[in-house]
Amino acid sequence: MPVLAVLVALVAGGWVILESAGVSAAERRHAGAIRAAFQIEQSIATLALLESQAEDRPGIGSNDSGLGPNTLVLAAARRAGLDEPDPANARSERIRDGITRVTYAYSNVRHPEIGPLLRWVAEVRGEAPWMSVGALKVENLGAVGWKIDVAFEQIESGR
């Protein structure tokens, strides 16, 4: 009988250890999701602040840096710690006489962590306040990391 009691205790102890390991893995995934959500909220707040600052600063509506939009966006990606995304193809759309919206779309930009991707978007807005974020899609790829698709837009006159 004592052997059976010891065997039952060992099996029960093993089950408790396995169950607690499963719970802690779930807790780690949940904590990671909460951290990612917090980073996304922080980045949205940063983008909103940059947008409002750009609106308040006169003369900020055009690219007077001498650098092309792709060059600025790719440099921001490097500063944010990303591998350089492929250069975007610019798409122009005439809004009305003399005014054109130019869109620079970057897709499938990946990183193991969400922070550098969101930092990249904020860097572009800080470096090129005349460009707005026209579209933004963030996707959690699970163990692989994160993916972002973003379209930066600028309005040009006299084009």
Side-chain angles (χ1 to χ4, degrees), residues 3-17:
V3 174
L4 181 60
V6 170
L7 184 59
V8 168
L10 286 174
V11 169
W15 181 80
V16 168
I17 290 170

Side-chain angles (χ1 to χ4, degrees), residues 69-70 73-74 85-91 102-109 120 131-132 134-135 148-154:
N70 267 322
V73 171
L74 297 178
D86 294 332
N89 291 324
R91 187 183 82 236
V102 183
T103 302
Y104 302 89
Y106 297 84
S107 59
N108 201 25
V109 181
W120 170 48
M131 294 180 81
S132 63
I148 192 170
D149 299 329
V150 62
F152 298 105
E153 298 178 342
Q154 75 181 56

